Amino acid sequence: MNEPDIGHMKAEAYKEFEAGNFKRAAEVLIAVESRIGSYDALSNDIAVAHFKKGDFEAAIGKFQEASELQALASKLIIDNLIEVMKDSKAVAMQSERLPEEEVARQLSRTFCPLCGSADKGFQALPEFYRKHAAEHGFKHFGRGEMTAHETYTCIGCGASDRERLYAYWVSSVLCRQELSRKAKVMHFAPEPGFSRWMESIGFTDYQTADFAMGGVDHQVDLMSLPFSTNSVDFFVCSHVLEHVIDDRKAIAELFRILRPGCISLLMVPIISGLDEIDEGPEESRESERWRRFGQGDHVRLYNRESFVSRVRGAGFEVSLLDVSYFGAATYQSLGLKKESVLYVVKKPEMSNV
């Protein structure tokens, strides 16, 4: 098959994609791949088509393949870019599009793993938070690692940026068989959208827990959990520790209940550039909590180094997964800040607790 035929097939695939015929688009792109072989952009396009037609496992496999191909090609790309930049005439003819925008280009400009919506876009953080920060003198507003102010919630389902990253990562570890749907899962302070998604993807033992929230399976104090040692295979504890009087006790309890060798998600609001943790669990004035911690029901403000130190101090191994792990295209598609970091903890296999 000659080159014009390949071009025609690609055009047909993208036309089918735009029409919402994702299965057909995937079939045509796979046919192209069989003719000319794999390369990173083509594998990525096939992965996105799989995602849109609901074939999660095939999509993750292709995303992994695209990432590996991109890594293999990265040195050549950089060498070529240096040569091009040396040529002043070539530089003068550069497009106004920024290089990172080209790298991040995908079939979908935005994607939400929770509701599957593509190109619906995201909504900004409610102005309420900005106003309250200004009114109470919270000086760290906008310096959080995770919260993307301009692309905070999914227009399709309302999922926050961090929920979209959680769902993307959980999907990937399920596909890599690093997590089983038969795992005993405990979700603390469950976010409604992410909780519904976790239930929908087929975990056979998914449970929820919180101190005051109604409708959960367990009413618990995170500093004294009623669960047996080594009884949980996976937990999600997101933006909870900043509410707890003694977070060291809470982290120790999470370590105790997790089965050795298992991974989990442990997230808190992290402020970039903060020298140390600012905490005041004894502070009862809501206005002062707003000023110091950015929210009326928070009792501390974390920086990265001290948070990781406390978590490791309890015995956990900690992995920080950032844009270099997930890729710029994924961050753009999910509507994440480039500073966003996912904190994955693991209880060592040989733990005595």
Side-chain angles (χ1 to χ4, degrees):
M1 180 171 284
N2 56 34
E3 188 60 28
D5 292 325
I6 293 295
H8 178 77
M9 290 175 70
K10 288 183 178 179
E12 178 190 351
Y14 300 135
K15 183 177 179 180
E16 295 289 352
F17 191 96
E18 290 175 1
N21 302 324
F22 305 127
K23 180 178 179 182
R24 176 57 183 163
E27 291 173 349
V28 176
L29 289 172
I30 290 169
V32 171
E33 184 182 51
S34 71
R35 297 279 183 167
I36 65 175
S38 298
Y39 61 93
D40 53 358
L42 179 58
S43 293
N44 181 71
D45 289 352
I46 294 172
V48 175
H50 281 316
F51 240 128
K52 300 305 169 56
K53 71 185 181 70
D55 192 342
F56 242 16
E57 296 196 7
I60 292 299
K62 273 296 178 183
F63 276 130
Q64 283 187 292
E65 178 182 292
S67 177
E68 291 167 1
L69 289 168
Q70 186 181 55
L72 289 172
S74 62
K75 186 179 184 302
L76 176 61
I77 293 171
I78 291 170
D79 289 345
N80 288 342
L81 179 60
I82 290 171
E83 290 302 314
V84 169
M85 294 301 290
K86 286 179 180 177
D87 187 336
S88 59
K89 182 180 289 186
V91 171
M93 296 174 63
Q94 289 284 332
S95 165
E96 292 184 1
R97 179 187 287 274
L98 296 174
E100 60 266 31
E101 291 178 331
E102 277 297 327
V103 171
R105 183 168 52 86
Q106 281 187 308
L107 287 171
S108 297
R109 297 294 293 177
T110 65
F111 179 70
C112 176
L114 286 89
C115 66
S117 62
D119 293 323
K120 285 190 176 181
F122 306 119
Q123 292 179 320
L125 183 75
E127 189 63 20
F128 162 84
Y129 292 99
R130 188 186 303 275
K131 289 181 177 178
H132 264 62
E135 289 172 2
H136 292 96
F138 179 60
K139 63 182 180 181
H140 302 293
F141 185 79
R143 292 172 56 193
E145 274 186 352
M146 180 65 74
T147 307
H149 287 190
E150 300 306 316
T151 54
Y152 182 60
T153 54
C154 169
I155 290 177
C157 67
S160 67
D161 56 340
R162 67 175 187 264
E163 291 176 87
R164 299 192 295 271
L165 182 57
Y166 299 170
Y168 183 89
W169 177 78
V170 169
S171 299
S172 69
V173 294
L174 283 170
C175 288
R176 293 198 300 265
Q177 298 184 345
E178 295 173 12
L179 178 64
S180 169
R181 285 181 171 82
K182 296 180 180 179
K184 181 175 181 180
V185 179
M186 193 64 64
H187 193 169
F188 296 97
E191 304 88 343
F194 183 52
S195 181
R196 287 192 297 270
W197 181 83
M198 290 285 285
E199 290 180 319
S200 73
I201 61 173
F203 283 111
T204 58
D205 190 1
Y206 171 78
Q207 301 177 41
T208 56
D210 192 71
F211 182 74
M213 184 185 301
V216 294
D217 298 307
H218 306 277
Q219 295 286 337
V220 303
D221 180 348
L222 202 61
M223 297 181 292
S224 181
L225 293 171
F227 311 126
S228 300
T229 299
N230 302 332
S231 63
V232 172
D233 299 308
F234 179 73
F235 68 73
V236 177
C237 184
S238 169
H239 289 223
V240 183
L241 292 175
E242 67 274 16
H243 299 265
V244 176
I245 298 299
D246 190 335
D247 63 340
R248 287 185 174 89
K249 281 187 178 179
I251 297 168
E253 280 291 88
L254 291 170
F255 183 82
R256 179 184 64 81
I257 67 169
L258 188 63
R259 195 183 311 278
C262 291
I263 58 173
S264 291
L265 277 178
L266 184 56
M267 301 286 293
V268 297
I270 300 285
I271 297 298
S272 300
L274 190 66
D275 293 331
E276 59 184 0
I277 294 175
D278 179 18
E279 55 190 335
E282 74 288 344
E283 179 57 67
S284 60
R285 294 169 295 172
E286 184 177 347
S287 60
E288 185 64 6
R289 288 182 173 181
W290 269 103
R291 185 189 71 80
R292 288 177 61 184
F293 313 129
Q295 201 159 308
D297 56 354
H298 288 188
V299 299
R300 65 181 54 80
L301 200 63
Y302 288 96
N303 69 324
R304 177 187 293 180
E305 294 76 11
S306 299
F307 172 64
V308 171
S309 177
R310 287 191 181 183
V311 175
R312 286 178 174 157
F316 282 116
E317 298 171 359
V318 186
S319 297
L320 281 63
L321 309 183
D322 58 13
V323 66
S324 66
Y325 175 88
F326 291 102
T330 299
Y331 265 40
Q332 175 183 293
S333 184
L334 297 179
L336 304 176
K337 291 175 66 173
K338 67 180 185 299
E339 299 86 358
S340 297
V341 178
L342 195 70
Y343 293 78
V344 178
V345 298
K346 180 179 181 180
K347 187 170 183 175
E349 293 276 3
M350 303 304 292
S351 174
N352 294 322
V353 178

